[in-house]
Amino acid sequence: MSHPAQPPARPPLLVTLGLEPAAFAQLDSLRRRYFPPGRNFIPAHLSLFHHLPGAEQPAVERALAQAAERHGPVALHFTRLVPLGRGMAARAEEAPALRALHAELARAFAPWLTPQDRQPLTPHVTLMNKATPEEARAALAELGRSWAPLATRGEALLLWRYLGGPWEPLGRFPLRAG
């Protein structure tokens, strides 16, 4: 008995926060330095949502555009490095404007949120992952000796399509209010 062919599933979507260029360049340089080269397919990023359904791209784009019109750039302070077990990240401390923006988007995306995306936001930029625990501890100690807090702003919502490793950029929604 034959079954009708299922259309191929559309790859999932991701939403990140676009940072000011100088801060992005600094964090991306650290990511390129510390992330295992054969596993570093994407630039430095601050993830807001990790897995939204690709078939809902028009609705996701509308929600991002509407939120970007209501919210201005958000202040961020990357004050410390944190271990991730097999990596490390620069952690942004309390960011009320970012939490408000994230909460608004979480309400818009509620029917599609995975368990990971339902968790409270812990804003960070992963600088190393998929390394051995020993490599991660050594890198954290090395970078920790020269780390200085980084103040910046999130300037846009960025939409991406997950391609099994690399990401395809789909849209940039500048934060405009204010």
Side-chain angles (χ1 to χ4, degrees), residues 2 24 26 30 33 48-49 63 68 78 80 91 93 113 118 122 127 156 161 165 169 173:
S2 77
F24 167 78
Q26 180 180 344
L30 291 170
R33 177 177 171 190
L48 298 177
F49 297 95
F78 291 94
R80 62 189 174 112
R91 172 102 185 260
E93 295 306 319
L113 294 182
R118 284 189 191 105
T122 306
L127 304 175
R161 177 177 291 123
F173 302 85

Side-chain angles (χ1 to χ4, degrees), residues 74 91-104 120-123:
V74 296
R91 172 102 185 260
E93 295 306 319
E94 189 61 35
L98 178 58
R99 291 193 189 287
L101 173 59
H102 183 264
E104 178 179 325
L121 179 65
T122 306

